[in-house]
Amino acid sequence: MLKTKIGRGQLKFAKLFFSDFRLFSKMDAKDSTTANVDKFGRPLPNQKDAQGYLCPSLTTDAAVIRKHKEDDYHDILMITRGRNPFQGKLAFPGGFVDYNEAPEVGCARELEEECSLKGTNPRLVSVRGDPQRDPRKHVVTICYRIDVPEDAEPKAGDDAATAKFYSLKDLLTRKDDFAFDHFELLQQVIATLDTDYGQ
């Protein structure tokens, strides 16, 4: 076996080199970690699109409304979220749009998955995309007004803990009970109705 003698000067240099190498490796790792979060401290998507852009995620929300028979007021379908973020808070039925799925189709699919209701005739209500509306990442949502049979009863499924109709008038007094920006979305839905809710 060939043995190589290393002088004290060479040994000292080697120790300094590897010490500096470990230091810069840690710095690079730290910089890499910092570079992988957005300006709000959330993890960036794992990959860019074909054009090199980081794109927001897309969700849909379903606004299902029933008018009272005895007066001009309405009820609206809401779920209670069964998981974080906002576990236990009220939200519109909805979720992420699948790849190659039209948003209105995704809206009806999520409504059926979370509330066991088949929706038809989706009409655009609002598009909301504030980068901080979802604590997980940048999510743009499209809200549709959607019809269900008058006698249909919701049954919670998927990640919804509960699914039922609430009085719109009552919900306007419960801002702190809502997930995401869904209270503001509720106000936009109400603005499409003929009834004056005193907003």
Side-chain angles (χ1 to χ4, degrees):
M1 181 183 291
L2 181 64
K3 294 184 180 180
T4 304
K5 291 184 179 180
I6 299 177
R8 290 183 179 180
Q10 291 174 306
L11 183 61
K12 185 177 181 181
F13 172 79
K15 287 181 178 179
L16 287 172
F17 174 80
F18 285 110
S19 176
D20 288 345
F21 177 78
R22 287 194 296 269
L23 175 62
F24 284 115
S25 295
K26 289 179 181 179
M27 290 174 65
D28 288 343
K30 184 178 180 181
D31 290 343
S32 176
T33 302
T34 303
N36 289 328
V37 298
D38 65 16
K39 63 181 180 180
F40 305 112
R42 302 169 304 192
L44 288 170
N46 291 328
Q47 60 185 17
K48 298 179 180 180
D49 69 5
Q51 286 72 44
Y53 292 101
L54 291 174
C55 299
S57 294
L58 181 65
T59 62
T60 59
D61 292 302
V64 179
I65 297 172
R66 286 180 175 171
K67 191 170 184 178
H68 293 178
K69 294 179 179 179
E70 64 277 8
D71 56 39
D72 289 333
Y73 292 108
H74 305 78
D75 292 334
I76 190 166
L77 179 65
M78 306 295 292
I79 66 161
T80 303
R81 288 184 57 81
R83 64 181 69 161
N84 282 320
F86 300 108
Q87 184 175 11
K89 296 289 187 178
L90 294 173
F92 286 89
F96 288 95
V97 176
D98 289 336
Y99 191 76
N100 278 338
E101 181 179 51
E104 61 272 22
V105 174
C107 186
R109 173 183 55 76
E110 285 288 345
L111 177 63
E112 186 170 4
E113 289 177 0
E114 294 190 342
C115 302
S116 305
L117 297 176
K118 290 188 177 294
T120 58
N121 191 28
R123 289 94 72 200
L124 180 64
V125 174
S126 176
V127 178
R128 300 183 64 87
D130 188 302
Q132 295 190 76
R133 63 178 300 275
D134 190 315
R136 296 169 293 187
K137 56 183 176 178
H138 187 185
V139 178
V140 175
T141 195
I142 305 174
C143 178
Y144 294 95
R145 177 93 178 265
I146 194 163
D147 299 332
V148 300
E150 288 189 8
D151 59 347
E153 290 299 326
K155 181 181 178 182
D158 197 19
D159 59 352
T162 66
K164 63 179 183 178
F165 283 91
Y166 293 81
S167 164
L168 272 177
K169 201 172 183 180
D170 175 59
L171 288 179
L172 285 173
T173 67
R174 300 175 57 183
K175 182 177 181 178
D176 292 341
D177 292 338
F178 281 80
F180 306 107
D181 57 353
H182 284 199
F183 182 79
E184 289 75 17
L185 182 54
L186 178 74
Q187 292 177 308
Q188 289 184 289
V189 171
I190 291 174
T192 67
L193 304 175
D194 295 332
T195 303
D196 182 10
Y197 280 88
Q199 294 188 83

